[in-house]
Amino acid sequence: MSSSLKAMDRATPWPPGLAPMACCCSRATLQKWLPILAWLPDYSMQWLKMDFIAGLSVGLTVIPQALAYAEVAGLPAQYGLYSAFMGCFVYLLLGTSRDVTLGPTAIMSLLVSSYTFHEPAYAVLLAFLSGCIQLAMSFLGLGILLDFISCPVIKGFTSAAAITIGFGQIKNLLGLQHIPRQFFLQVYYTFRNIGQTRAGDVVLGMVCMLLLVMLKMMRDHVPPSYHDMPTSMRVSCGLVWTATTARNALVVSFAALIAYSFEVTGCQPFILTGKIVEGLPPLQVPPFSLSTANGTVSFTDMVQDMGAGLAVVPLMGLLESIAVARSFASQNNYRINTNQELLSIGLTNMLGSFFSSFPVTGSFGRTAVNAQSGVCTPAGGLVTGVLVLLSLDYVTSVFYFIPKAALAAVIITAVAPLVDTSIVGTLWRVKRLDLLPLAVTFLLCFWEVQYGILAGTLVSALILLYSAARPKIQVLDGEGPVLILQPASGLHFPAMEALRKVVVSRALEASPPRCAILECSRVCSMDATVALGLSELMEDFDRAGVTLVFVGLQGSILQALLSADLKGVWHFPTMEAAEKFLSQEPGTQPYNVSDESVPEHTVALLKA
């Protein structure tokens, strides 16, 4: 199968934007907003075959996961399925990655649980508002905000979330009931009630986990099929690959069959999922108010109750989806349109809320299944979406017998790879200070998710600001008659005082005062505060009877100095020329703005 995909890719490459842009402006605009128009005209039977296989594989994966993630979100099981199909259809039209699948994920379900109080009305409204915010970010080009969430913050959050989600399923694995959802209380009451463990749930849960791990290992070692292989071997490899890819559906079906067998005998040793509302979700406007026993909760009160969730959920949804899309685009050698991805996820959440969906995002696990299945276009999502709708319409009665221990096993094996311990070693080797936002995010996320992300982002910003305020200033020559300093990066207003302190302490406070050279070839940006500060520094040098000169200034920096009306700026193209000038050797002069030898884009000297 993989060889046929490679052959197809050679015949019809997958360039940026899914297909070449047409010369006609109007057609190019349509392809930009509706990427399906870029690849649909070239659609082939070979692509149809591959997309059908991939869509079926993802569908068999998403159905049990959706039921399990509804449990993580604290919602009835059917809401997981309600959230699993809209992304398939929207991404078919608007998506720019052939691999990405949108739907419920473990991390997004945890966030939903944190901000919606296990109330479906809050979850659906959160999906609608998140979609509106994401769409606004897409139209305003605010995807740049995601760049301020650093890798250590993301890794700290995902690792803490994986542990929180995984431990949250221990109660179902042990058959414990009435365990609080807050993490620290959950840990306390789980160990406190450990004596109430149900043997049936433990045995079934552990068997399901073992089967899932074994099937995953088998899939990782299934040899690729080739056309020159014997037919029987190719069929065998295909069957093994299909069974191991759909392992979640197989294991959950196996557990449900066992539970049904016990139900027939009148003895049920497992805690079951229970009755699930049958049929497709109704098309209705998201709830903008909620009727309770104590009265009606208004839209304003619901928004206030969700609080920081209206910022955290949309941002983390975009971050997770864009990260998945970029990762697989890089692996499979094509490009995505980030703004179009924001549009896709925003529209998915907004439209999904009309079908009782909670917030969704790109799923790394199911996207990996999609890619490994040989998907060729986003049309694979059409098969997945139809399969979810069919299961809602015809199979929900069977879901009654799915043991919660089996769903817990699915969740635990799905989130375990999210705990990335290798990042600690990587950060230790690269930049140890980055361990600080990682640790802050990781620890505070166990208390409240929004506090962990906010604190980690703040610490990362402070580290970034500190590097801007205290740039590395290398002393190239600190002992000779001329002090030579080289700033290692851009100069901005927080750095001026540090630069002034180094120059004054090493040049003007020396006995006797020394001339100084600022080698600025690495300085690519400068603001007005620095320009004015350099003016004051040059005046200090004049009063001390010595000279401050510049070497290697870029054109934009020279222009900034001139625009600040600085007087007596000495600039030389090379260090040798500056040293000769300061040693008063004849024939060496700084550049002058009137010299014909100076390139037009370069300003050389402004001398009083």
Side-chain angles (χ1 to χ4, degrees), residues 289-299 301:
S289 62
L290 176 64
S291 299
T292 65
N294 298 324
T296 300
V297 182
S298 67
F299 173 73
D301 291 335

Side-chain angles (χ1 to χ4, degrees), residues 363-450:
S363 166
F364 192 91
R366 294 193 297 275
T367 298
V369 170
N370 208 23
Q372 292 164 0
S373 303
V375 69
C376 298
T377 72
L382 181 62
V383 180
T384 301
V386 169
L387 195 61
V388 173
L389 291 175
L390 289 175
S391 70
L392 273 168
D393 212 16
Y394 298 106
V395 197
T396 44
S397 59
V398 178
F399 296 155
Y400 176 93
F401 297 101
I402 297 177
K404 287 192 174 183
L407 295 179
V410 170
I411 294 173
I412 292 173
T413 54
V415 301
L418 295 178
V419 181
D420 187 2
T421 56
S422 64
I423 189 63
V424 176
T426 301
L427 296 180
W428 181 265
R429 293 188 301 270
V430 176
K431 186 179 181 180
R432 297 177 183 179
L433 193 59
D434 282 340
L435 289 170
L436 185 58
L438 174 75
V440 168
T441 306
F442 179 77
L443 294 175
L444 287 183
C445 276
F446 289 113
W447 176 30
E448 289 288 349
V449 171
Q450 69 269 26

